[in-house]
Amino acid sequence: EIMCVSHMISAALALAAGLSLPVVGRARAFRTPSRPISISNSGAAQRVLVTDGLAPAALDALAAGGADVTSRSLTEDELCAGALAAYDAVIIRSATTLRADALSAGAAGRLRVVGRAGVGVDNIDVAGAHASGVTVVNTPSASTASVVEMTLALLFAAARNLPAADRGLRSGEWLKPPARGSRLGSELAGKNLGLLGFGRIARGVAAAAAALGMRVFAYSPHAASETASPLGVTLLPSAEELFCTCSHVSLHCALTPQTRLLVGGEMLERMPAVGPDG
């Protein structure tokens, strides 16, 4: 993630300053350049604000590219009052929300680029950025491995009842059958794993789950068999069939008007009570 973030913002600033980028209306990801891009402009360092923290190496990489980097969080009132106007670019994670008024106030000054250190841009008003001439960039692959590993950790925790076992042990109880309140864990091998969505992270989870011996199924209106087949993934025609088929389901789709409320009690009731291996 370190170099991905620094290259992202460096490339965006260099292009915005040197080529007068056209306004874009969606998040855009830049490929990693073959070498670092200087982001100085006519001898003056570009000012970059980091609101939600970055690894020290990422901050160093930005500074090495010629940026004047400031790390501090801003309140919503400060954002709306135009605090971003003093910076050429701002890098955020999920803690900062950039509304249209904050972006407009920033664009009235120096702000030209918003960089999302991560994938989702739901905390950025991209249409507002478009209207203000601010370019929005993200890092689609920066967190893929981390999220894949976290997904596996949650699958293991659920299958083995690790949270309850941890709490029991901390309170002096060994929750192993036949102890009262204990529950048997189960293996992931042989179970059906359903992936709702089939982007980078879901494909990474599919590969790892298959290595564990799970049968992997997926539903996405955008998935192609050419992508799924090499991973041993079976594509299903609907989310309903995915839940009917799988004892374990992991969600890997963005929250959109189409996906909002897609999963609820009725969908969960479709899931088999036990895996195909019992």
Side-chain angles (χ1 to χ4, degrees):
E1 181 182 69
I2 291 170
M3 296 310 297
C4 192
V5 170
S6 62
H7 283 312
M8 166 196 72
I9 206 69
S10 297
L13 280 170
L15 289 169
L19 300 180
S20 186
L21 274 180
V23 174
V24 296
R26 61 184 178 85
R28 181 177 178 182
F30 290 87
R31 294 185 181 276
T32 302
S34 57
R35 57 189 176 84
I37 295 177
S38 172
I39 54 178
S40 60
N41 183 20
S42 302
Q46 301 278 6
R47 300 194 66 198
V48 177
L49 174 66
V50 178
T51 63
D52 301 334
L54 282 178
L59 299 176
D60 292 343
L62 285 166
D68 176 8
V69 183
T70 300
S71 293
R72 62 173 293 233
S73 59
L74 295 174
T75 65
E76 187 173 329
D77 288 342
E78 289 175 314
L79 290 170
C80 293
L84 297 180
Y87 301 93
D88 298 283
V90 57
I91 301 176
I92 68 172
R93 289 184 183 272
S94 56
T96 298
T97 297
L98 295 181
R99 302 186 326 200
D101 49 359
L103 292 163
S104 175
R110 299 178 58 157
L111 185 67
R112 292 297 176 266
V113 176
V114 173
R116 170 68 165 92
V119 181
V121 292
D122 52 303
N123 55 330
I124 303 169
D125 188 327
V126 178
H130 181 127
S132 298
V134 175
T135 299
V136 177
V137 292
N138 65 348
T139 55
S141 61
S143 59
T144 298
S146 295
V147 180
V148 167
E149 292 177 6
M150 178 58 71
T151 301
L152 291 174
L154 294 173
L155 279 169
F156 279 119
R160 294 292 179 179
N161 302 306
L162 296 183
D166 175 73
R167 288 192 296 269
L169 189 60
R170 290 174 185 274
S171 63
E173 297 181 85
W174 181 251
L175 297 181
K176 183 176 181 179
R180 182 174 60 85
S182 63
R183 291 177 56 195
L184 284 172
S186 62
E187 295 180 350
L188 291 177
K191 301 299 192 302
N192 286 355
L193 173 65
L195 302 172
L196 191 55
F198 202 60
R200 290 181 183 87
I201 293 170
R203 293 195 297 270
V205 172
L212 293 172
M214 301 188 80
R215 302 181 183 91
V216 185
F217 300 81
Y219 167 70
S220 170
H222 311 294
S225 58
E226 293 80 5
T227 303
S229 295
L231 295 172
V233 175
T234 301
L235 295 179
L236 296 177
S238 67
E240 289 78 8
E241 188 164 342
L242 185 81
F243 277 79
C244 289
T245 303
C246 300
S247 56
H248 298 67
V249 174
S250 185
L251 309 186
H252 298 281
C253 51
L255 179 61
T256 66
Q258 291 72 37
T259 60
R260 182 179 294 275
L261 302 180
L262 176 61
V263 179
E266 181 180 348
M267 192 75 84
L268 295 175
E269 289 177 359
R270 296 173 182 265
M271 297 178 70
V274 297
D277 62 346

